[in-house]
Amino acid sequence: MTSGESSRFSTTAIGLRESELRVKSAVVAVVGRPSAGKSTLVNALCGAKVSIVSPVPQTTRNRVRGILNDVDAQIVFIDTPGFHLSTRKINTYMTGIVSSTLEEVDIVLYVVDGSRASGEEEKAISEAVRATGKPTVICLNKKDAADDVWALVRASACSFLTGAPSFDVSARTGDGLDALREKLIQLSPDGEQMYPPDYYTDQTPEFRISEIVREKVTLGTREEVPHAVYVRIEDVEMRDDGQTLWARGFICVERESQKGIIVGRGGDKIRQIIRDSEAELSEIFPWAVKLDMRVKVDRQWRKRDPLLKKMIR
Ligand SMILES: Nc1nc2c(ncn2[C@@H]2O[C@H](COP(=O)(O)OP(=O)(O)OP(=O)(O)O)[C@@H](O)[C@H]2O)c(=O)[nH]1
Ligand SMILES: [Mg+2]
């Protein structure tokens, strides 16, 4: 389950002796172009759904922590938004998250979509990664969809980051992940467990709920709509029966027309989004989850600094 904070736990607080907590331990930034498969990879490495996934670029907007617990290792992955060269305000916030995450971590895991030719963005990310001087692992992803560009993309990534080991994987099928996991553990310094060993993420229930709802909206709509949506959870409450978690909130869009698309004919679309979200959330949490979501227009939200500052962290 989740805790509210990402801070290190004191050994006495969880009742273990210091000597029992010495493990290989590292914080790893997961960075790369939008849609490279970073979130799919973090989920696969952690063995649990930690971060939302969709074919729409820039699905991830925040730092999302996922924890890999092994017998003698604990790795905390920080999934980040896709690095996208754009001057739009929201993109500059997301790129800022990538840069600050690179500064905080022990190791960088640079994810490259091996099925897609490299471009200016790969060059810019590689430069940002190289500038950190931190141990870096290149992960060439989507091996299951590899074609003639694969070898070229690998050569190009390795030439930008000379000396960094590279791994061919499919985050979707799991192919190649054992070797990648081993390498990351090998590079990790000796240290303490940062979280109790049964934790796989540190996200708050509000954040998890808002992300799953946004994922279902993203998967159920097209074109500009996924980018125009944010989800705000106002209240989360345990029902009296102690078995049902109830959450109330808003799906916010920029325009009336987008609201119409999400509500759908006779409310069909929003009902489906809620059903799909409740089904997945009820798997994630140890309780049934019930949602009360309204769709609301919040014009120009992507241009408002105070909201973006609060939302993109
Ligand atoms: N064929 C194939 N598709 C993959 C693989 N990994 C991810 N995908 C797909 O690629 C798309 C993007 O995956 P995400 O994990 O959301 O990518 P991301 O890098 O987190 O994207 P952003 O958060 O938008 O930056 C989704 O449709 C995934 O199902 C893979 O190994 N093989
Ligand atoms: Mg992502």
Side-chain angles (χ1 to χ4, degrees), residues 250-288:
F250 295 98
I251 297 170
C252 301
V253 287
E254 286 181 324
R255 294 203 296 272
E256 283 298 333
S257 58
Q258 295 160 345
K259 178 175 169 178
I261 291 168
I262 292 179
V263 171
R265 192 172 297 161
D268 278 2
K269 177 73 94 188
I270 182 70
R271 275 198 292 274
Q272 188 62 48
I273 288 168
I274 290 176
R275 266 199 303 275
D276 291 348
S277 304
E278 286 177 342
E280 186 162 339
L281 287 163
S282 301
E283 295 284 317
I284 289 175
F285 291 100
W287 314 286

Coordinates of all heavy atoms in Angstrom, one line a residue, residues 250-288:
F250 N -13.5 15.8 -9.8 CA -13.8 16.4 -11.1 C -12.9 15.9 -12.2 O -11.6 15.8 -12.0 CB -13.8 17.9 -11.0 CG -14.8 18.5 -10.1 CD1 -14.4 18.8 -8.8 CD2 -16.1 18.6 -10.5 CE1 -15.3 19.3 -7.9 CE2 -17.0 19.1 -9.6 CZ -16.7 19.5 -8.3
I251 N -13.4 15.7 -13.4 CA -12.6 15.6 -14.6 C -12.7 16.9 -15.3 O -13.8 17.3 -15.7 CB -13.2 14.5 -15.5 CG1 -13.1 13.1 -14.8 CG2 -12.4 14.4 -16.9 CD1 -13.9 12.0 -15.5
C252 N -11.6 17.6 -15.4 CA -11.6 19.0 -15.9 C -11.1 19.0 -17.3 O -10.1 18.4 -17.6 CB -10.8 19.9 -15.0 SG -11.4 19.9 -13.3
V253 N -11.8 19.8 -18.1 CA -11.4 20.0 -19.5 C -11.4 21.4 -19.9 O -11.8 22.3 -19.1 CB -12.4 19.3 -20.5 CG1 -12.2 17.8 -20.4 CG2 -13.8 19.7 -20.2
E254 N -10.8 21.8 -21.1 CA -10.7 23.2 -21.4 C -11.9 23.8 -22.1 O -12.2 25.0 -22.0 CB -9.5 23.4 -22.3 CG -8.2 23.3 -21.5 CD -7.0 23.5 -22.4 OE1 -7.0 23.0 -23.5 OE2 -6.0 24.0 -21.9
R255 N -12.7 22.9 -22.8 CA -13.8 23.5 -23.5 C -15.1 22.7 -23.4 O -15.1 21.5 -23.1 CB -13.4 23.5 -25.0 CG -12.3 24.4 -25.3 CD -12.3 24.8 -26.8 NE -12.1 23.7 -27.7 CZ -10.9 23.3 -28.1 NH1 -9.8 23.9 -27.7 NH2 -10.8 22.3 -28.9
E256 N -16.2 23.4 -23.6 CA -17.5 22.7 -23.6 C -17.6 21.5 -24.5 O -18.2 20.5 -24.2 CB -18.7 23.7 -24.0 CG -19.1 24.7 -22.9 CD -19.6 24.0 -21.6 OE1 -20.2 22.9 -21.7 OE2 -19.5 24.7 -20.6
S257 N -17.0 21.6 -25.7 CA -17.1 20.5 -26.7 C -16.3 19.3 -26.1 O -16.8 18.2 -26.3 CB -16.4 21.0 -28.0 OG -15.1 21.4 -27.8
Q258 N -15.3 19.5 -25.4 CA -14.5 18.4 -24.8 C -15.3 17.8 -23.7 O -15.3 16.5 -23.5 CB -13.2 18.9 -24.3 CG -12.2 19.4 -25.4 CD -11.1 20.3 -24.9 OE1 -11.2 20.8 -23.7 NE2 -10.1 20.5 -25.7
K259 N -16.1 18.6 -23.0 CA -16.9 18.1 -21.9 C -18.0 17.1 -22.5 O -18.2 16.0 -22.0 CB -17.6 19.2 -21.2 CG -18.6 18.8 -20.1 CD -19.1 20.0 -19.4 CE -20.3 19.6 -18.5 NZ -20.8 20.7 -17.7
G260 N -18.5 17.6 -23.7 CA -19.5 16.8 -24.4 C -19.0 15.4 -24.8 O -19.6 14.4 -24.7
I261 N -17.7 15.4 -25.2 CA -17.1 14.2 -25.7 C -16.9 13.2 -24.5 O -17.2 12.0 -24.6 CB -15.7 14.5 -26.3 CG1 -15.9 15.2 -27.7 CG2 -14.9 13.2 -26.5 CD1 -14.7 15.8 -28.3
I262 N -16.5 13.8 -23.4 CA -16.3 12.9 -22.2 C -17.6 12.4 -21.6 O -17.7 11.2 -21.2 CB -15.4 13.6 -21.2 CG1 -14.0 13.7 -21.8 CG2 -15.3 12.8 -19.9 CD1 -13.0 14.4 -20.9
V263 N -18.6 13.2 -21.6 CA -19.9 12.8 -21.1 C -20.5 11.7 -22.0 O -21.0 10.7 -21.6 CB -20.8 14.0 -20.9 CG1 -22.2 13.5 -20.5 CG2 -20.3 14.9 -19.8
G264 N -20.4 12.0 -23.3 CA -20.9 11.1 -24.3 C -22.4 11.1 -24.4 O -23.1 11.8 -23.6
R265 N -22.9 10.4 -25.4 CA -24.4 10.4 -25.7 C -25.1 9.8 -24.5 O -24.9 8.7 -24.1 CB -24.7 9.7 -26.9 CG -26.1 9.9 -27.4 CD -26.4 9.3 -28.8 NE -25.5 9.9 -29.8 CZ -25.3 9.3 -31.0 NH1 -25.7 8.1 -31.3 NH2 -24.5 9.9 -31.9
G266 N -26.0 10.6 -23.9 CA -26.8 10.1 -22.7 C -25.9 9.7 -21.5 O -26.3 9.0 -20.7
G267 N -24.7 10.2 -21.5 CA -23.8 9.9 -20.4 C -23.1 8.6 -20.5 O -22.4 8.1 -19.5
D268 N -23.2 8.0 -21.7 CA -22.6 6.6 -21.8 C -21.1 6.6 -21.6 O -20.5 5.7 -20.9 CB -22.7 6.2 -23.3 CG -24.1 5.6 -23.5 OD1 -24.9 5.6 -22.5 OD2 -24.4 5.1 -24.6
K269 N -20.4 7.6 -22.1 CA -18.9 7.6 -22.1 C -18.4 7.8 -20.6 O -17.6 7.0 -20.1 CB -18.4 8.7 -23.0 CG -16.9 8.9 -23.0 CD -16.1 7.8 -23.7 CE -15.8 8.2 -25.1 NZ -15.3 7.1 -25.9
I270 N -19.0 8.7 -19.9 CA -18.5 9.0 -18.5 C -18.8 7.8 -17.6 O -18.0 7.4 -16.8 CB -19.1 10.3 -17.9 CG1 -18.5 10.6 -16.5 CG2 -20.6 10.4 -17.9 CD1 -17.1 10.9 -16.5
R271 N -20.0 7.1 -17.9 CA -20.3 6.0 -17.1 C -19.3 4.8 -17.3 O -18.9 4.2 -16.4 CB -21.7 5.5 -17.4 CG -22.8 6.2 -16.6 CD -24.1 5.5 -16.6 NE -24.7 5.4 -17.9 CZ -25.5 6.4 -18.4 NH1 -25.8 7.4 -17.6 NH2 -26.0 6.3 -19.6
Q272 N -18.9 4.7 -18.6 CA -17.9 3.7 -18.9 C -16.5 4.0 -18.3 O -15.9 3.1 -17.7 CB -17.7 3.6 -20.4 CG -16.8 2.4 -20.9 CD -17.4 1.0 -20.5 OE1 -18.6 0.8 -20.8 NE2 -16.6 0.2 -19.9
I273 N -16.1 5.3 -18.3 CA -14.9 5.7 -17.7 C -14.9 5.4 -16.2 O -14.0 4.8 -15.6 CB -14.6 7.2 -18.0 CG1 -14.3 7.4 -19.4 CG2 -13.6 7.8 -17.0 CD1 -14.3 8.9 -19.9
I274 N -16.0 5.7 -15.6 CA -16.2 5.4 -14.1 C -16.1 3.9 -13.8 O -15.4 3.5 -12.9 CB -17.4 6.1 -13.6 CG1 -17.2 7.6 -13.6 CG2 -17.7 5.6 -12.1 CD1 -18.4 8.5 -13.2
R275 N -16.9 3.1 -14.7 CA -16.9 1.7 -14.4 C -15.5 1.1 -14.6 O -15.0 0.3 -13.7 CB -17.8 1.0 -15.5 CG -19.2 0.8 -15.0 CD -19.9 -0.3 -15.8 NE -20.0 0.0 -17.3 CZ -20.9 0.8 -17.9 NH1 -21.9 1.4 -17.1 NH2 -20.8 1.1 -19.2
D276 N -14.8 1.5 -15.6 CA -13.4 1.0 -15.8 C -12.5 1.4 -14.7 O -11.6 0.6 -14.3 CB -12.8 1.4 -17.2 CG -13.6 0.8 -18.4 OD1 -14.3 -0.1 -18.2 OD2 -13.4 1.3 -19.5
S277 N -12.6 2.6 -14.3 CA -11.7 3.1 -13.2 C -12.0 2.4 -11.9 O -11.1 1.9 -11.2 CB -11.9 4.6 -13.0 OG -11.7 5.3 -14.2
E278 N -13.3 2.2 -11.6 CA -13.7 1.6 -10.3 C -13.2 0.1 -10.3 O -12.6 -0.4 -9.3 CB -15.2 1.6 -10.2 CG -15.7 2.9 -9.8 CD -17.3 3.0 -9.6 OE1 -17.9 2.0 -10.2 OE2 -17.8 3.9 -9.0
A279 N -13.3 -0.5 -11.5 CA -12.8 -1.9 -11.6 C -11.3 -2.0 -11.3 O -10.9 -2.9 -10.5 CB -13.2 -2.5 -12.9
E280 N -10.6 -1.2 -11.9 CA -9.1 -1.3 -11.7 C -8.7 -0.8 -10.3 O -7.9 -1.4 -9.7 CB -8.4 -0.4 -12.8 CG -6.9 -0.7 -12.6 CD -6.0 -0.3 -13.8 OE1 -6.6 -0.2 -14.9 OE2 -4.8 0.0 -13.6
L281 N -9.3 0.2 -9.8 CA -9.0 0.7 -8.5 C -9.4 -0.3 -7.4 O -8.7 -0.4 -6.4 CB -9.7 2.1 -8.2 CG -9.1 3.2 -9.0 CD1 -10.0 4.4 -9.0 CD2 -7.7 3.7 -8.4
S282 N -10.4 -1.1 -7.7 CA -10.8 -2.1 -6.7 C -9.8 -3.2 -6.7 O -9.8 -4.0 -5.7 CB -12.2 -2.6 -7.0 OG -13.1 -1.5 -6.9
E283 N -9.0 -3.4 -7.7 CA -8.0 -4.4 -7.7 C -6.7 -3.8 -7.0 O -6.0 -4.5 -6.3 CB -7.5 -4.7 -9.2 CG -8.6 -5.4 -10.0 CD -8.7 -6.8 -9.7 OE1 -7.6 -7.5 -9.5 OE2 -9.8 -7.3 -9.6
I284 N -6.5 -2.5 -7.2 CA -5.3 -1.9 -6.6 C -5.4 -1.8 -5.1 O -4.5 -2.1 -4.4 CB -5.1 -0.5 -7.2 CG1 -4.6 -0.6 -8.7 CG2 -4.1 0.3 -6.4 CD1 -4.5 0.7 -9.4
F285 N -6.6 -1.3 -4.6 CA -6.8 -1.1 -3.2 C -7.4 -2.4 -2.6 O -8.1 -3.1 -3.3 CB -7.7 0.1 -2.9 CG -7.1 1.4 -3.3 CD1 -7.4 2.0 -4.5 CD2 -6.2 2.0 -2.4 CE1 -6.8 3.2 -4.8 CE2 -5.6 3.2 -2.7 CZ -5.9 3.8 -3.9
P286 N -7.2 -2.6 -1.3 CA -7.8 -3.8 -0.7 C -9.3 -3.6 -0.4 O -9.9 -4.3 0.4 CB -7.0 -3.9 0.6 CG -6.5 -2.6 0.9 CD -6.4 -1.8 -0.3
W287 N -10.0 -2.6 -1.0 CA -11.4 -2.3 -0.8 C -12.0 -2.1 -2.1 O -11.4 -1.8 -3.1 CB -11.6 -1.0 0.0 CG -10.7 -0.9 1.2 CD1 -10.9 -1.6 2.4 CD2 -9.6 -0.1 1.4 NE1 -9.8 -1.3 3.2 CE2 -9.0 -0.3 2.7 CE3 -8.9 0.9 0.6 CZ2 -7.9 0.3 3.1 CZ3 -7.8 1.5 1.0 CH2 -7.3 1.2 2.3
A288 N -13.4 -2.2 -2.2 CA -14.1 -1.8 -3.4 C -14.0 -0.3 -3.5 O -14.0 0.4 -2.4 CB -15.5 -2.2 -3.2

